[in-house]
Amino acid sequence: MDVGQQHHLDRTTGHRRDAAVLFADLSGFTELVESVEPEIVYQVVRPLMDDLVDIARRHGGEIQQVLGDGFMCVFGLHTTRGDEAERAVAAGLELVAAGGARLGRPSVHAGVETGEIYVTASWPPAGYGVWGRPVNLAARLCDLAGPGELQIGPRAFAQVRRRFGPARAARTRLKGLTAPVLTHRISPQRVPQHTEPDHAMIDAA
């Protein structure tokens, strides 16, 4: 087998696994870009994005891609511990708390869902590719979330409700999906400061 053929096989083979997917984006990024010089955009956004990436990695997330105003990461990409959804939601809560006007930063919104994904090799600079419904749904949930909010999908919430529940659920129509999705909205402001995360309250979307 020549090197070219081996390279082709490495790029097209993959495996399935259960994982949690987290998307995070900055709110108002387009308005920021339109209102100030690009150097100012960089000075405002880069420190926040660095902090967000550090938070995600500290909770065990692996960054799949970083864009100008957000990123996607996966929990449980290589090792399944059984707490992937909890770590993704905990990271999401910390991410949305890291931004906001009171800190002089753009607000952050995020989305989380879990499920079976298909993992492949990818082209540089991304280290891997991730495909499947949880990826799409987590991205749509991130779009749905308002500034300073985390939206959680039905499978992820079912796995974390003991730690972050109870919650009232709402059926939400998301772009590109034919059926409504059960979504849950959580905001760090709703978490009592004197309690442990196990008693955090979720306010449904």
Side-chain angles (χ1 to χ4, degrees):
M1 179 182 297
D2 61 32
V3 174
Q5 186 177 4
Q6 178 66 50
H7 177 78
H8 175 73
L9 288 176
D10 289 343
R11 294 296 183 191
T12 57
T13 56
H15 61 279
R16 292 190 181 198
R17 66 179 301 110
D18 284 323
V21 180
L22 166 65
F23 275 86
D25 279 312
L26 306 186
S27 301
F29 181 75
T30 300
E31 290 82 354
L32 178 66
V33 170
E34 292 294 319
S35 62
V36 299
E37 297 299 319
E39 292 84 358
I40 302 299
V41 175
Y42 178 79
Q43 292 170 12
V44 170
V45 171
R46 179 58 189 266
L48 176 55
M49 288 300 298
D50 286 344
D51 286 350
L52 299 185
V53 169
D54 287 343
I55 289 169
R57 287 176 171 164
R58 179 154 38 82
H59 285 275
E62 296 193 45
I63 307 297
Q64 196 270 342
Q65 60 179 343
V66 177
L67 305 175
D69 63 337
F71 64 82
M72 166 189 165
C73 67
V74 179
F75 297 77
L77 183 69
H78 300 295
T79 304
T80 300
R81 293 172 18 184
D83 63 347
E84 286 71 32
E86 288 194 10
R87 288 188 286 126
V89 170
L93 278 172
E94 195 170 341
L95 292 177
V96 299
R102 66 183 178 81
L103 300 176
R105 293 172 151 189
S107 294
V108 181
H109 56 278
V112 172
E113 181 57 312
T114 62
E116 189 176 62
I117 60 173
Y118 183 61
V119 183
T120 67
S122 186
W123 47 91
Y128 57 90
V130 180
W131 316 85
R133 189 172 189 271
V135 179
N136 183 56
L137 189 50
R140 294 288 179 257
L141 290 167
C142 183
D143 292 340
L144 175 67
E149 292 180 355
L150 170 68
Q151 287 279 355
I152 308 173
R155 289 197 61 177
F157 184 72
Q159 295 176 33
V160 304
R161 65 183 307 145
R162 284 191 176 183
R163 176 173 177 181
F164 297 103
R168 295 186 307 273
R171 293 195 175 277
T172 308
R173 291 195 174 274
L174 301 175
K175 181 180 178 182
L177 278 66
T178 56
V181 174
L182 201 61
T183 62
H184 301 270
R185 183 180 68 239
I186 183 170
S187 171
Q189 288 78 15
R190 297 288 296 174
V191 180
Q193 297 301 311
H194 63 281
T195 61
E196 295 298 321
D198 287 346
H199 303 295
M201 297 296 293
I202 288 182
D203 189 13

